[in-house]
Amino acid sequence: MNLIELKDIFKTYHMGEVDVPVLKGISLTVEAGELVALMGASGSGKTTLMNILGCLDHSTSGLYRLDGEDISGLTPDGRALIRNQKIGFVFQSFNLLPRTSALDNVIMPLTYTAADISDREARQRATELLQRVGLGDRLHHDPAQLSGGQQQRVAIARSMINRPKLLFADEPTGNLDTHTSKEVLEMFQKLNRDEGITIILVTHDTGVARHAKRVVRISDGLIEAGAVLPAAGENDGPKGGAP
Amino acid sequence: MKKWYRTIRTALHALRRNVMRSILTTLGIIIGVAAVIAMMEIGRGSSDAIQNTITSMGANNLLIMPGTAASGGVSFGAGSAMTMTPEDCDAILRDCPLVRAGAPVVRARTQVVYAGRNWVPMYIYGTTPQFLDVRDWTALAEGEPFTERDVRNGSKVCLLGQTLVRELFQNESPIGKEIRVKNVAFRVVGTLARKGANMMGMDQDDILLAPWTTIKYRVSGSSASTANQSASSASGSGVNSLNALYPSASVSLYPAPSDTQAADTPLPVRFANVDQIMVAAQSSEASAGAVKQITGLLRERHRIRADEPEDFTVRDMTEMTKALSSTTLLMTNLLLCVAMISLVVGGVGIMNIMLVSVTERTREIGLRMAVGARGRDILRQFLVEAVLLCLAGGAFGIGLGRLTSYLVHSLLHWPTALSLTAIVAAVAVSASVGIVFGFYPAWKASRLDPIEALRYE
């Protein structure tokens, strides 16, 4: 079943009187349980595409189905609800709340959840997640007391707190060294494998993209390669020819 | 409910993350509210003191005068009807709850003699001890006031005003001395404190107070003329040698009854009228109500039908009451202005810091939006933060303000009065300052675009 279905997505920014087309008709499908890398040079439109996929922005025209639901015409509040229920984000710069313990950082998104979760349940869920990312002994540490890799793992735990179907990672290793990058990427692979969460890695680094089962290349607002899932048997290596 | 609880917890958490800044922000409100409370309490104290002063000038006094009597088309002027009795005064004290005190007054104007000196005081008032209470004059310079018992007995005792003391006694103490009022010897039991001139410039210390029974039956004899009775007839007691030359108007038409006759046929108790009744209302605001109560009561007592005019007039001190209320109003408005200014300054401080905070936390706002916060969630969070800051500031401000006014009271001995309205107003105003001045920054935060907020450096 297709978790994401994009059809002819256009996005045009208006800079004064000049229209700047960024996405020029993108069609893409992602099945549930995939681990996809979204690659492209800067200015190629990959960030815009990620914003639209992540419901942070809306397209100028085109159809976007997420989990069988047409969400291209939603209001900002409606998109906030979708983000809260179905999507998790991991950012390049971690974006943890300063002077706030790892546990509270992980619990934070639950503040905006409509579902009735008691405080104790929330803490328990957050503790489990932190244990799963290997930070069970650092629940009450501030971000300042954690290393970059640990911070990113807290961020991953945070993105999982609402049990999303879809996880976006925007250059998740951009601020990390090679060793911790590998750890974090393996964490994504593990989550994808064990939990069946669909993960989209946005990156310009082929080394990162190599960890994905499929690579979608975007260039100048159009998808160059990888728009559909490759046939079975081919998905054990990166597609799209990493040099 | 849970949402609000979470929002408040989040807000508290955010405030705790930057304790120093929160404290400094609140400081504006703390000082504002403390200033309001302290100003209100000190101001209320001063205002009360001013009110007391004006009240002691007689702002809450009411004067009940008998109406005019007329005979054959000739009117005798105000106060000439003989229908006002001391019982009217008792009834007023008993049945009019807005009246604090009251005393009947019998006036006389005659010569007062002590040793080689004499003087005609402006006021010779026959009254009851309550008169001192009515006129706020209970603190005597010397001695004691006369008593109700003196009034019942018609005792020949009197209180002297300071002018009279100066004119008759110079440097002596008058206590226990005997003065003669129209040839009646009065023992001086006390002297009144200095009161000075009234609003019309009349010397209020030029006064002699005695039981009304004594003045009525021993001195004045007839009702109340303000004429100088010492110039007209002296009573027939014969001390004045001129009596023989200029006999008084009282000509005996009938033979004097013998002692036995007098004992057998006692004269009925004479209907005693008084010249006026002075009444103090509970407060100057209550005087209008008191006038109404007194008018109703006296109409009933004097059996005046609904369509008939009253045989008395009740006068209040409108001029003074006006001065009093305008003073109070002025004080209140002045304090209100100061309070508003300091609170607005505090509010602008809050807005300033909240704007800085929104800018500084742009990325946090972006993140919260990315994980599903709607614009209104962000708006609510920042509003709650501002209101919490203001409420905390209000609470500390109340404490600080009370402390300040207590210190002012105990160290400087300024009068202060606890003002509950000030406290309630301060809390309400600080909360609304939080909402009003917190709204713009919160609104700005809620309008942020999550994508740009996340990229904000």
Side-chain angles (χ1 to χ4, degrees), chain B residues 183-334:
Chain B
N183 286 330
V184 182
F186 279 79
R187 189 164 49 83
V188 179
V189 291
T191 59
L192 297 164
R194 182 172 297 285
K195 211 171 177 73
N198 70 3
M199 299 220 309
M200 298 296 294
M202 310 279 265
D203 184 4
Q204 299 182 91
D205 294 320
D206 195 3
I207 191 169
L208 183 149
L209 293 181
W212 70 268
T213 44
T214 322
I215 298 291
K216 180 86 193 162
Y217 298 125
R218 296 184 198 266
V219 177
S220 124
S222 72
S223 112
S225 13
T226 41
N228 187 339
Q229 283 149 357
S230 60
S232 71
S233 68
S235 67
S237 55
V239 177
N240 192 334
S241 56
L242 290 176
N243 264 358
L245 284 177
Y246 304 103
S248 64
S250 52
V251 180
S252 69
L253 296 171
Y254 305 101
S258 71
D259 288 349
T260 325
Q261 273 178 313
D264 285 349
T265 55
L267 284 170
V269 175
R270 199 155 74 101
F271 165 78
N273 71 307
V274 295
D275 295 323
Q276 63 191 45
I277 296 174
M278 271 190 114
V279 160
Q282 294 288 3
S283 66
S284 54
E285 294 87 52
S287 56
V291 169
K292 224 171 253 162
Q293 290 180 348
I294 291 167
T295 309
L297 179 73
L298 288 187
R299 281 188 80 100
E300 196 181 311
R301 282 182 60 81
H302 293 183
R303 299 199 167 75
I304 298 165
R305 281 197 294 273
D307 53 340
E308 280 179 339
E310 285 132 18
D311 65 345
F312 59 91
T313 50
V314 184
R315 280 188 272 156
D316 59 2
M317 310 287 172
T318 316
E319 199 180 359
M320 273 204 231
T321 320
K322 266 190 195 156
L324 183 60
S325 58
S326 71
T327 311
T328 318
L329 197 70
L330 194 73
M331 287 291 278
T332 316
N333 287 349
L334 181 80

Side-chain angles (χ1 to χ4, degrees), chain A:
Chain A
M1 181 201 147
N2 289 338
L3 183 68
I4 293 176
E5 195 179 336
L6 289 184
K7 207 171 246 172
D8 289 331
I9 292 288
F10 282 84
K11 179 71 184 177
T12 309
Y13 288 111
H14 304 283
M15 303 286 193
E17 291 183 4
V18 190
D19 285 352
V20 183
V22 179
L23 297 182
K24 302 163 184 168
I26 296 230
S27 296
L28 174 71
T29 50
V30 176
E31 280 188 19
E34 274 198 79
L35 173 52
V36 181
L38 189 60
M39 279 193 73
S42 71
S44 61
K46 73 174 177 329
T47 310
T48 308
L49 182 58
M50 192 206 82
N51 287 339
I52 290 172
L53 285 173
C55 287
L56 288 164
D57 204 350
H58 61 93
S59 55
T60 313
S61 68
L63 179 80
Y64 177 15
R65 264 179 210 281
L66 176 64
D67 205 14
E69 199 180 338
D70 181 10
I71 55 170
S72 26
L74 282 179
T75 60
D77 280 2
R79 286 204 298 272
L81 194 67
I82 297 285
R83 289 200 295 273
N84 189 256
Q85 290 172 340
K86 298 193 172 157
I87 301 172
F89 287 95
V90 176
F91 303 96
Q92 178 176 1
S93 50
F94 324 137
N95 276 339
L96 299 178
L97 300 181
R99 284 173 243 187
T100 305
S101 71
L103 193 63
D104 285 335
N105 260 300
V106 175
I107 292 174
M108 187 274 282
L110 288 178
T111 315
Y112 307 106
T113 306
D116 205 20
I117 297 169
S118 75
D119 282 356
R120 200 212 257 167
E121 209 181 321
R123 295 179 80 82
Q124 203 180 339
R125 208 195 264 191
T127 313
E128 275 170 22
L129 281 170
L130 281 168
Q131 277 162 353
R132 208 185 300 168
V133 297
L135 292 172
D137 54 342
R138 289 192 161 69
L139 298 180
H140 301 289
H141 284 55
D142 281 1
Q145 295 166 306
L146 297 171
S147 72
Q150 287 168 330
Q151 287 189 51
Q152 193 60 301
R153 279 187 277 165
V154 172
I156 292 170
R158 179 183 64 197
S159 69
M160 303 285 297
I161 190 79
N162 271 320
R163 295 174 180 158
K165 296 199 162 166
L166 182 58
L167 202 66
F168 282 96
D170 185 8
E171 304 277 5
T173 57
N175 287 7
L176 301 175
D177 59 47
T178 335
H179 178 67
T180 38
S181 290
K182 201 160 167 274
E183 269 181 24
V184 165
L185 289 169
E186 276 163 9
M187 182 83 61
F188 281 125
Q189 284 178 320
K190 188 162 159 275
L191 284 173
N192 177 251
R193 199 171 51 236
D194 300 351
E195 318 265 331
I197 295 172
T198 314
I199 297 177
I200 297 182
L201 286 169
V202 181
T203 183
H204 65 276
D205 183 350
T206 45
V208 173
R210 204 171 291 138
H211 288 78
K213 292 180 191 161
R214 160 151 81 116
V215 175
V216 176
R217 284 179 176 277
I218 181 164
S219 164
D220 200 20
L222 284 167
I223 291 185
E224 247 178 22
V228 286
L229 186 66
E234 283 183 79
N235 63 350
D236 49 355
K239 171 101 181 165

Side-chain angles (χ1 to χ4, degrees), chain B residues 66-136:
Chain B
T68 167
S71 170
V74 179
S75 165
F76 297 115
S80 52
M82 307 231 274
T83 50
M84 194 78 76
T85 64
E87 288 73 35
D88 284 339
C89 181
D90 295 340
I92 287 169
L93 289 177
R94 199 173 52 236
D95 295 337
C96 300
L98 285 177
V99 170
R100 195 190 77 226
V105 171
V106 176
R107 278 172 296 163
R109 185 157 170 85
T110 186
Q111 194 180 47
V112 178
V113 181
Y114 172 72
R117 285 181 284 273
N118 69 84
W119 185 254
V120 179
M122 188 109 60
Y123 312 99
I124 296 176
Y125 276 2
T127 182
T128 61
Q130 270 210 26
F131 180 84
L132 297 176
D133 195 16
V134 173
R135 294 290 291 110
D136 265 306

